[in-house]
Amino acid sequence: MIRRRIVSIWLPRFPIARWERAQAMQPAQPSVPWEEVADGLDPDAPLVLAAQGPHGPVVHAANPSAQAEGAARGMRITDVRALTPMVQVVPADLSGDAEALRRLMLWSRRWCPWSASDGADGIVLDTTGSDHLWGGEAAMLSDMQARLRDLGQEARLAVAPTHGAAWALARYGAAREICGPSALKARLAMLPVAALRLDGATLLTLRRLGLKHIGDLMLIPRATLERRFGRDGRALMTPLRRLDQMTGDLPEPIVSPPPPQRFRVVHRLAEPVMDPQPLLPEPMQMLCAELAAAGQGLRGLRLELYRTDGTTSRFEAGCAQASRDPAHLQNLLTCHFESLDAGFGFDTLSLEALRPEPLAAAQVRLDGGVQADVALATLVDRLTVRLGPDAVQLPDPVESHLPECADRWSPAVRRAGLLAPGGLGGGGLVAPSRDRPVRLLRSPERIEVLYAVPEGPPVRFKWRRKPYLIRRHQGPERIAPEWWRARPGTRLRDYYKVEVEAGERYWLFREGIMGDGRGGEPDWFLHGLFA
């Protein structure tokens, strides 16, 4: 008889660790040497993620600094602010956490075929018959913990014959605990009653009755427990039912969701060919037909070419908008054939859809033309393939009136919902309320100026060792610092749009004014260039 082995993975810092990892992966903001602007959130200071509770926002997760100050999950934000007035509060991304846990659950199937999410911060795996592939259960748990640590997640793991026992040992037992069938009941008897996965009201009742450990509950007659906590066999949260599930007297199957549908077409050739490009249309049509039948489109495409000597060539292309147009997708792969090493020929090729998304059928225009959003997405895809994803970028508007902080650039092909309503095609980009230069320098450059009056515009300036004579100017436009974010001593700016003798137009600003009490004489900088 094969005895079941269940692994429970508990991720106690899953929401806050995911937020910290997302913050660390964000592109660094350009440095601002001329102005001491305070950074955004400080991850080392007390910080909590807030979710909406029945009576206002409550703590969903807290970093170690906030926990040291007394913040705990479920506390009201007002109570946390009373303990730590300087605590930083960030809205929790509950839907994002759920999706990330789902992806992590599917990723964990590298250790066994069956896995499922276990609450909002756990994963359960049925590893029956799989541990020998990893050198035993101890080596398998060590590998799990190491790989999760590489993902930035702190994990506690346990393996036991039942789901309830593994869940309890992962949260209330030793690190990476392994429990066999013979020692199951004796080990569970030492755990607190909170390990039974009961609701708060039931746990409070058990503690008031003096039942603090599971062993105390095992000594109570079953009839007494049934009379006290109900006879309804459909109830899932009764102590007796949870105890039977934990000990294995009552089955608790693991419902493993099916993996997402994989769209992949493999085309095996009758004989090796040196140029596989003419053979792409047929498998591409088959792949797009499968996508159309499932109502899906792809955001990424992978082509794998297998040579006769066993070498594999792999190419990938991305799409700014979900697509299943065979001609367009084939054009995205054309440039990869220019430097292809065929060796002794290719005998197999495969096409796989990456990042599939729902895509409904679209009505073709009566004149046979292409919709504007489709044409724009096609242009972004072709430019990205030729120039690279980092060369084709779009701005993400940011809530800031400082010119250098008003937007953040990201690759256009990776922008989900680029052409959705409110995206690029729907006018979602926020246009500046005032005239702004075509090119904004990453960091303003200091210039030497000559002016008639200290509070007026300059007459001449020198930039990069070259003198310029100003013929016309427009301004000033005063931009005050963000007082809620800037450090003491930050000075305001007066911007001028100037036209020099040769016809070029530049964007200059003076940092500070005379007598503002925030420094000496004002400094001048060049911040942008107009067309």
Side-chain angles (χ1 to χ4, degrees):
M1 178 180 178
I2 300 178
R3 298 185 180 274
R4 295 183 66 198
R5 302 299 288 169
I6 307 299
V7 172
S8 178
I9 302 177
W10 180 39
L11 307 170
R13 300 187 67 251
F14 179 73
I16 195 70
R18 176 175 171 267
W19 181 88
E20 293 172 349
R21 183 176 177 86
Q23 291 295 113
M25 295 179 63
Q26 284 185 357
Q29 293 298 306
S31 59
V32 190
W34 73 96
E35 181 183 21
E36 293 185 355
V37 177
D39 296 332
L41 298 171
D42 184 4
D44 297 327
L47 184 144
V48 298
L49 302 180
Q52 191 62 32
H55 303 289
V58 297
V59 175
H60 178 64
N63 66 352
S65 300
Q67 292 177 357
E69 298 290 339
R73 183 184 177 92
M75 287 183 59
R76 297 181 61 182
I77 296 297
T78 54
D79 298 334
V80 176
R81 290 191 187 277
L83 294 174
T84 311
M86 301 304 294
V87 67
Q88 304 169 100
V89 180
V90 179
D93 183 13
L94 301 182
S95 59
D97 290 342
E99 176 61 21
L101 185 64
R102 187 191 68 85
R103 294 197 303 267
L104 193 63
M105 177 268 297
L106 296 174
W107 171 84
S108 66
R109 292 183 182 178
R110 62 183 62 232
W111 293 293
C112 66
W114 300 279
S115 66
S117 301
D118 194 7
D121 56 0
I123 301 173
V124 58
L125 301 91
D126 190 341
T127 59
T128 306
S130 301
D131 58 281
H132 71 281
L133 301 174
W134 307 94
E137 290 182 338
M140 180 179 64
L141 294 184
S142 299
D143 183 67
M144 290 178 179
Q145 193 171 47
R147 289 181 181 270
L148 289 169
R149 188 185 304 113
D150 293 340
L151 297 178
Q153 291 291 341
E154 175 187 340
R156 291 181 58 88
L157 307 96
V159 56
T162 65
H163 177 196
W167 188 95
L169 293 174
R171 289 155 177 81
Y172 298 94
R176 300 202 307 268
E177 185 163 350
I178 300 175
C179 182
S182 58
L184 179 62
K185 291 188 177 181
R187 181 66 184 93
L188 295 178
M190 297 182 289
L191 299 180
V193 292
L196 285 171
R197 297 177 292 167
L198 299 171
D199 59 274
T202 305
L203 290 176
L204 182 60
T205 302
L206 291 175
R207 293 192 185 98
R208 287 175 175 175
L209 294 175
L211 305 175
K212 299 180 179 179
H213 296 86
I214 296 179
D216 301 334
L217 199 63
M218 292 178 176
L219 299 177
I220 303 297
R222 296 178 62 90
T224 303
L225 290 176
E226 289 181 356
R227 285 195 302 269
R228 179 62 182 82
F229 294 98
R231 298 173 177 270
D232 189 359
R234 295 172 297 176
L236 299 178
M237 300 293 288
T238 61
L240 190 59
R241 184 181 183 89
R242 285 302 196 191
L243 183 61
D244 289 343
Q245 290 176 341
M246 181 179 287
T247 57
D249 295 333
L250 189 66
E252 185 180 6
I254 296 176
V255 181
S256 180
Q261 184 177 359
R262 186 181 182 186
F263 300 94
R264 186 170 183 259
V265 173
V266 179
H267 190 47
R268 295 178 174 83
L269 308 179
E271 57 183 12
V273 297
M274 304 302 292
D275 183 13
Q277 186 173 359
L279 304 175
L280 277 181
E282 182 180 353
M284 189 70 74
Q285 292 281 357
M286 296 172 60
L287 179 64
C288 293
E290 290 185 9
L291 291 169
Q296 299 285 314
L298 58 84
R299 290 287 303 276
L301 179 64
R302 176 184 295 159
L303 169 65
E304 293 178 333
L305 301 172
Y306 301 88
R307 293 193 334 195
T308 55
D309 58 359
T311 306
T312 305
S313 299
R314 180 180 291 108
F315 309 109
E316 292 186 4
C319 298
Q321 187 184 49
S323 173
R324 54 171 180 258
D325 182 8
H328 172 56
L329 296 177
Q330 186 169 345
N331 287 335
L332 298 181
L333 300 174
T334 302
C335 65
H336 296 296
F337 292 94
E338 298 174 356
S339 59
L340 184 62
D341 182 12
F344 294 100
F346 300 97
D347 57 2
T348 305
L349 62 88
S350 71
L351 288 169
E352 183 177 1
L354 306 178
R355 302 185 301 277
E357 294 181 359
L359 179 62
Q363 177 68 41
V364 181
R365 285 172 43 177
L366 295 178
D367 59 359
V370 182
Q371 298 290 345
D373 56 347
V374 177
L376 180 58
T378 301
L379 176 62
V380 170
D381 297 344
R382 297 180 65 178
L383 290 176
T384 301
V385 168
R386 287 291 179 182
L387 305 177
D390 294 333
V392 185
Q393 299 190 353
L394 287 173
D396 291 320
V398 178
E399 293 183 357
S400 175
H401 64 266
L402 297 179
E404 68 277 1
C405 301
D407 49 45
R408 182 180 299 160
W409 293 83
S410 61
V413 73
R414 299 172 188 167
R415 292 276 294 274
L418 169 68
L419 302 173
L424 181 61
L429 291 182
V430 179
S433 57
R434 295 180 179 271
D435 190 14
R436 291 292 181 257
V438 176
R439 179 186 176 190
L440 195 69
L441 299 183
R442 184 178 296 272
S443 296
E445 299 183 10
R446 192 182 299 270
I447 58 176
E448 299 177 9
V449 300
L450 175 66
Y451 44 82
V453 242
E455 301 300 331
V459 179
R460 295 176 180 268
F461 70 92
K462 182 184 291 186
W463 176 50
R464 296 181 180 177
R465 300 182 180 180
K466 183 179 179 181
Y468 296 88
L469 177 62
I470 297 177
R471 292 298 187 187
R472 299 179 181 86
H473 75 274
Q474 179 181 343
E477 176 191 350
R478 178 160 293 181
I479 298 181
E482 297 177 337
W483 56 267
W484 60 94
R485 192 179 303 170
R487 295 176 180 174
T490 303
R491 311 181 78 174
L492 55 80
R493 310 176 194 170
D494 284 334
Y495 278 87
Y496 291 90
K497 178 180 179 182
V498 301
E499 180 180 323
V500 300
E501 192 175 18
E504 297 95 341
R505 295 182 178 181
Y506 299 96
W507 208 32
L508 316 179
F509 74 86
R510 179 183 61 239
E511 182 191 27
I513 56 177
M514 293 294 296
D516 59 2
R518 298 195 171 192
E521 294 186 1
D523 295 322
W524 284 85
F525 296 88
L526 189 146
H527 202 171
L529 293 80
F530 290 91

